[in-house]
Amino acid sequence: MLKRLLKYILTSVVGLIGFTTLSYAQFKEEAFTQTYNDHADTTARADTADKLFSFKEYIGGLSHKNTMKIGTMFAGSVVLPGTAQIYNKDYWKLPIIYGGIGGFAGTGGYYLHKYTKSKKAYAEWETNKIAYETETGQIYPYETPVIDYKAKTTGTWLMVGAGLMYWGSLMDGVVCYESDRHPHPGRATLYSVLLPGLGQIYNGELYKVPIYWGGMIVAVHCLMNNNRNYVRFKRIHNEATNPDIEYTQSISAETAKWYRDVYRRYRDYSIVATAAVYLLQVIDANVFAYMHDFEVTDDISMKLEPAVIPPNNQYAQHTYGVRVGLTF
């Protein structure tokens, strides 16, 4: 359980780092500044995507010598919690963040270690019991040790608390980031990264929240259901093909294998669907925050005319088509 929990936490951290790095290319402001942004907007200029991550900007921002982009601040906070609080000059929050994360993680690790020791003691007792009774033919005289499942539950929840403190530090940094634009595209994007649908709420598009949440709930439900069936038929197939046990179930090994592969494929599709809905709502929050001030005038027109595309080399021929022009 501890390995699985740590795996999920590590995957989330790596995903956040990867997103904050790759999202610069995905959400380049230059694609929108031609029409929608005011070139005098200092925040707009500060959020360009000329560099993926600048350590000079990061160190300068921490020392308050220059402005730090919200994406750079967020990426720094993912790796080093408290970065955003230092940049936002909320120094009093640092003991709470580090004390909370350290306290929860340390106490949780203690309880999980306690559970691991009890489980190891039980395994050793069981091994010694089998060896003793086999050699002597007598009942093993030592009392059965108890596996401390309560410590496992307590430690797991404490680790969850550490994760929530870490998540809260990231959310706090985004909320407290100062900017002269509303809605701020970077803030809207990171809101949706941290909590799906929050970017839409920030942009004032509440009607989208049920759509995205409904899509994610359906996708996660399908994921859990398909994974449950995959595990079931995988277990049946393993039992049916195990020569050391007597298999008496009505489902044959071939049938179990077929269903196992089907549900595994459906489970993978569900993972892709969940990720797609999540990514879509992040992109939606970013794009509509950029286009918040975009207005369409009343003189909308469309012009259609024939077009001839000249060849790009001596062997190609002219291409004929239709050119569409939009004015708004």
Side-chain angles (χ1 to χ4, degrees), residues 48-125:
T48 57
D50 296 331
K51 297 180 180 179
L52 293 179
F53 186 88
S54 172
F55 282 100
K56 181 179 180 180
E57 175 194 351
Y58 177 72
I59 300 300
L62 288 181
S63 58
H64 303 291
K65 294 181 179 179
N66 57 259
T67 302
M68 190 188 302
K69 298 191 294 289
I70 189 172
T72 303
M73 183 195 71
F74 184 78
S77 296
V78 170
V79 179
L80 180 63
T83 292
Q85 285 68 35
I86 295 174
Y87 177 72
N88 294 331
K89 298 182 180 180
D90 294 328
Y91 304 109
W92 62 272
K93 296 178 181 178
L94 294 176
I96 300 176
I97 293 173
Y98 283 105
I101 295 176
F104 278 117
T107 311
Y110 165 76
Y111 278 102
L112 290 174
H113 178 66
K114 185 178 179 181
Y115 160 73
T116 303
K117 286 181 62 178
S118 67
K119 188 177 179 181
K120 183 179 180 181
Y122 177 82
E124 291 178 354
W125 173 88

Side-chain angles (χ1 to χ4, degrees), residues 26-325:
Q26 175 66 32
F27 304 124
K28 287 190 66 173
E29 183 170 334
E30 287 83 348
F32 300 90
T33 51
Q34 297 178 5
T35 306
Y36 312 132
N37 287 334
D38 183 2
H39 291 285
D41 189 349
T42 57
T43 304
R45 294 199 307 271
D47 272 341
T48 57
D50 296 331
K51 297 180 180 179
L52 293 179
F53 186 88
S54 172
F55 282 100
K56 181 179 180 180
E57 175 194 351
Y58 177 72
I59 300 300
L62 288 181
S63 58
H64 303 291
K65 294 181 179 179
N66 57 259
T67 302
M68 190 188 302
K69 298 191 294 289
I70 189 172
T72 303
M73 183 195 71
F74 184 78
S77 296
V78 170
V79 179
L80 180 63
T83 292
Q85 285 68 35
I86 295 174
Y87 177 72
N88 294 331
K89 298 182 180 180
D90 294 328
Y91 304 109
W92 62 272
K93 296 178 181 178
L94 294 176
I96 300 176
I97 293 173
Y98 283 105
I101 295 176
F104 278 117
T107 311
Y110 165 76
Y111 278 102
L112 290 174
H113 178 66
K114 185 178 179 181
Y115 160 73
T116 303
K117 286 181 62 178
S118 67
K119 188 177 179 181
K120 183 179 180 181
Y122 177 82
E124 291 178 354
W125 173 88
E126 192 174 39
T127 302
N128 294 333
K129 174 179 178 294
I130 294 174
Y132 180 84
E133 293 181 349
T134 301
E135 293 177 2
T136 65
Q138 300 177 0
I139 298 177
Y140 194 54
Y142 297 100
E143 185 179 355
T144 307
V146 178
I147 300 179
D148 196 348
Y149 289 105
K150 184 178 180 181
K152 176 184 178 182
T153 302
T154 304
T156 300
W157 280 110
L158 286 169
M159 285 297 185
V160 171
L164 289 175
M165 287 293 299
Y166 173 78
W167 175 88
S169 69
L170 298 177
M171 180 64 77
D172 173 78
V174 176
V175 171
C176 297
Y177 181 82
E178 294 184 0
S179 63
D180 55 359
R181 179 182 180 182
H182 182 83
H184 188 277
R187 176 174 285 137
T189 304
L190 295 176
Y191 275 160
S192 289
V193 170
L194 293 170
L195 183 62
L198 187 58
Q200 283 69 32
I201 296 176
Y202 172 72
N203 290 338
E205 300 172 323
L206 297 177
Y207 68 93
K208 294 182 179 179
V209 177
I211 299 175
Y212 288 119
W213 269 96
M216 292 194 68
I217 290 173
V218 171
V220 171
H221 171 75
C222 293
L223 170 60
M224 296 175 63
N225 184 64
N226 290 325
N227 185 66
R228 182 169 55 250
N229 284 294
Y230 162 70
V231 172
R232 175 195 171 198
F233 284 103
K234 179 181 178 181
R235 175 182 54 80
I236 294 175
H237 178 263
N238 291 340
E239 293 178 356
T241 54
N242 190 346
D244 298 329
I245 62 175
E246 182 180 358
Y247 180 72
T248 59
Q249 300 296 326
S250 59
I251 302 177
S252 65
E254 292 76 11
T255 302
K257 181 178 182 299
W258 187 84
Y259 278 109
R260 181 200 64 182
D261 295 341
V262 167
Y263 281 112
R264 178 173 57 189
R265 183 167 62 252
Y266 288 166
R267 181 201 60 181
D268 296 342
Y269 290 160
S270 300
I271 294 174
V272 173
T274 303
V277 176
Y278 174 81
L279 183 60
L280 181 61
Q281 60 90 28
V282 172
I283 296 175
D284 173 270
N286 178 273
V287 171
F288 281 89
Y290 273 121
M291 301 181 65
H292 183 267
D293 298 329
F294 175 71
E295 295 183 0
V296 179
T297 60
D298 295 332
D299 55 343
I300 302 177
S301 62
M302 182 175 68
K303 183 179 180 181
L304 297 176
E305 58 183 10
V308 179
I309 302 176
N312 57 2
N313 58 66
Q314 58 180 339
Y315 302 104
Q317 299 180 351
H318 285 79
T319 303
Y320 302 93
V322 177
R323 179 184 292 114
V324 179

